[in-house]
C-alpha cells in the first residue's frame, strides 16, 4: 500500500511541488542580509523588522492550512493569543527562554487538539465559524480571568533580551519555521495533504485517513502560530485580550492573500508588506487600510496567486527563453 501511495497522489493531480522555492544562493544571501541588518537599522526600524518576522512565522504556518490543506479558519488568532499569554506568565515566573517558547507552542497545540475535531467534522464554512466561535470564547476568558490574564489591562512584562537579541532570536525562529514547513509540504505527508485538498472524496476512497491528515496539519500550524504569538508578546512587552480579537485573524488571512498561498514565502512577503504599509502609510493618513485593499483588489484582478505568483510569472518567460 505504501509503495502505491506516490502513484495514487499523482493520480489525484498532485505535482509534488507548490510554487517553486527560492534558490539556495538567494536564500543564503537573504539570511546573511537579515543577520547583519541590526548593524545598520536601529530603533523603530528594528522594532518593525521584529514585528514583521513574528507575523511572517504565523502567516507561513497559516498557509499550511489554507494553501496545502484547503482549510480556511477564522479563529487562528486564538493560538497567537495563547502563545502570548503563556510567554507572559512563564517569563514572569522566571523560566528560561527556550522553555517559554516551547511551552507556548505546546499550549497552542493542545488548544487546537481539543477544539479542531469539532470544527473539522463540521467542515466547509462551518469550520470557519466554529474556529471563530472558539477564539471569541477564549477572548472572553482572557477578559474575565483577571487573576491570570490581567483582564482588559492585560499583562506587561520584559523578556530580558535587548532589541537586537530579540530580533535575532525571532529571525532564527522564522528561518527554522520556514525550513521545517518546507520539509513538511514536500514530504509524503505533505503530498497526501495536497491530494486531499485537490480531491478529498477520491483520497478518502483510496483509503487515506483524511481527517487524520487535516487534524495533523491543524496541530502543526497551531504550534508555529503559538510560537509566533509568544515572540510577538515578548517583542511588544504586553499581551491583552485584543490580541485574541477576530479581526487579527483577518489580518493574518490578508497577509497570506497578499503574498500568495501555497508558496510559504508568499505569506512572508505579505507579512513584510502589510507591516510596512501599516507603519509608513498610517503615519500620513488613517485610511492606510484602503491602500492594502487596493493592492489586494489589484492582485485579484491580475491573478489569484498573490505577489509571489506575479514574481514567478515574470521569471518564467526568461527561463523559457
Amino acid at each position: 500500500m505504501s509503495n502505491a501511495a506516490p502513484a495514487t497522489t499523482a493520480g489525484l493531480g498532485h505535482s509534488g511541488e507548490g510554487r517553486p522555492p527560492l534558490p539556495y544562493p538567494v536564500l543564503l544571501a537573504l539570511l546573511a542580509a537579515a543577520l547583519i541588518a541590526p548593524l545598520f537599522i536601529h530603533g523603530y526600524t528594528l522594532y518593525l523588522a521584529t514585528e514583521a518576522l513574528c507575523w511572517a512565522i504565523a502567516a507561513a504556518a497559516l498557509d499550511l492550512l489554507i494553501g496545502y490543506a484547503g482549510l480556511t479558519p477564522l479563529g487562528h488568532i486564538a493560538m497567537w493569543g495563547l502563545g502570548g499569554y503563556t510567554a507572559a506568565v512563564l517569563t514572569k515566573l522566571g523560566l528560561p527562554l527556550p522553555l517559554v517558547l516551547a511551552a507556548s507552542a505546546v499550549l497552542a497545540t493542545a488548544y487546537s487538539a481539543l477544539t479542531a475535531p469539532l470544527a473539522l467534522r463540521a467542515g466547509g464554512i462551518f469550520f470557519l465559524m466554529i474556529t471563530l466561535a472558539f477564539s471569541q470564547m477564549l477572548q472572553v476568558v482572557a477578559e474575565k480571568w483577571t487573576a491570570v490574564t490581567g483582564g482588559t489591562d492585560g499583562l506587561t512584562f520584559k523578556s530580558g533580551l535587548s532589541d537586537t537579541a530579540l530580533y535575532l532570536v525571532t529571525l532564527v525562529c522564522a528561518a527554522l519555521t520556514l525550513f521545517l514547513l518546507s520539509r513538511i509540504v514536500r514530504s509524503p505527508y505533505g503530498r497526501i495533504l495536497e491530494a486531499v485538498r485537490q480531491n478529498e472524496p477520491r483520497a478518502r476512497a483510496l483509503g487515506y485517513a483524511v481527517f487524520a491528515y487535516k487534524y495533523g496539519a491543524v496541530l502543526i500550524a497551531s504550534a508555529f502560530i503559538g510560537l509566533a504569538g509568544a515572540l510577538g508578546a515578548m517583542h511588544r512587552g504586553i499581551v491583552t485580550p485584543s490580541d485574541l480579537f477576530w479581526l487579527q485573524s483577518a489580518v493574518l488571512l490578508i497577509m497570506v492573500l497578499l503574498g500568495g498561498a501555497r508558496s510559504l514565502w508568499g505569506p512572508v512577503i505579505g507579512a513584510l508588506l502589510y507591516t510596512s504599509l501599516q507603519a509608513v502609510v498610517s503615519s500620513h493618513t488613517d485610511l492606510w487600510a484602503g491602500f492594502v485593499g487596493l493592492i489586494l483588489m489589484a492582485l485579484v484582478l491580475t491573478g489569484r496567486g498573490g505577489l509571489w505568483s506575479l514574481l514567478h510569472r515574470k521569471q518564467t518567460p526568461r527561463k523559457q527563453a
Side-chain angles (χ1 to χ4, degrees):
M1 182 67 179
S2 59
N3 294 333
T8 33
T9 54
L12 284 165
H14 178 56
S15 64
E17 299 287 340
R19 296 190 179 90
L22 291 174
Y24 283 112
V26 176
L27 285 174
L28 291 175
L30 288 174
L31 182 59
L35 284 171
I36 65 174
L39 297 176
F40 305 98
I41 60 175
H42 309 280
Y44 185 58
T45 305
L46 185 62
Y47 177 92
L48 284 180
T50 307
E51 178 85 4
L53 286 173
C54 293
W55 284 113
I57 294 172
L62 182 61
D63 189 32
L64 179 66
L65 297 182
I66 297 175
Y68 295 91
L71 297 169
T72 305
L74 199 55
H76 42 276
I77 203 63
M79 285 78 83
W80 173 287
L82 274 174
Y85 274 107
T86 303
V89 172
L90 296 185
T91 300
K92 281 176 170 287
L93 293 176
L95 272 66
L97 178 63
L99 186 57
V100 170
L101 295 180
S104 299
V106 168
L107 187 60
T109 306
Y111 164 83
S112 289
L114 295 174
T115 60
L118 178 59
L120 287 171
R121 293 295 184 191
I125 187 65
F126 300 106
F127 176 82
L128 183 150
M129 298 305 296
I130 291 175
T131 56
L132 172 61
F134 277 123
S135 70
Q136 293 309 282
M137 289 169 59
L138 197 62
Q139 183 185 11
V140 173
V141 172
E143 291 175 349
K144 303 300 182 183
W145 199 6
T146 55
V148 175
T149 65
T152 55
D153 293 331
L155 295 175
T156 57
F157 67 107
K158 293 183 178 180
S159 66
L161 300 175
S162 66
D163 292 342
T164 299
L166 185 56
Y167 166 82
L168 293 174
V169 168
T170 308
L171 176 63
V172 170
C173 290
L176 287 174
T177 297
L178 287 169
F179 173 75
L180 292 173
L181 288 176
S182 65
R183 298 293 293 177
I184 289 170
V185 299
R186 287 172 176 79
S187 69
Y189 170 80
R191 292 170 182 245
I192 296 173
L193 195 64
E194 169 70 6
V196 170
R197 182 190 69 83
Q198 292 188 17
N199 197 328
E200 182 175 331
R202 186 172 180 183
R204 187 176 287 107
L206 288 170
Y208 290 110
V210 170
F211 177 85
Y213 281 101
K214 287 185 175 182
Y215 187 53
V218 171
L219 297 185
I220 293 169
S222 298
F224 287 113
I225 295 175
L227 172 65
L231 291 168
M234 290 180 173
H235 164 57
R236 298 171 184 173
I238 186 172
V239 58
T240 68
S242 62
D243 292 322
L244 293 160
F245 189 46
W246 72 271
L247 281 178
Q248 299 298 324
S249 290
V251 167
L252 267 177
L253 282 174
I254 290 172
M255 291 177 181
V256 174
L257 293 175
L258 280 176
R262 292 194 69 243
S263 59
L264 294 182
W265 276 101
V268 173
I269 295 174
L272 295 175
L273 177 62
Y274 186 93
T275 305
S276 300
L277 283 174
Q278 185 181 29
V280 175
V281 181
S282 65
S283 63
H284 300 286
T285 175
D286 292 334
L287 303 177
W288 66 271
F291 285 87
V292 177
L294 290 174
I295 295 174
L296 201 56
M297 288 173 59
L299 290 173
V300 170
L301 292 174
T302 56
R304 303 177 65 181
L307 290 172
W308 184 258
S309 180
L310 289 177
L311 292 173
H312 174 56
R313 269 185 275 173
K314 288 183 178 181
Q315 294 175 354
T316 300
R318 298 177 184 174
K319 291 181 180 180
Q320 292 177 345

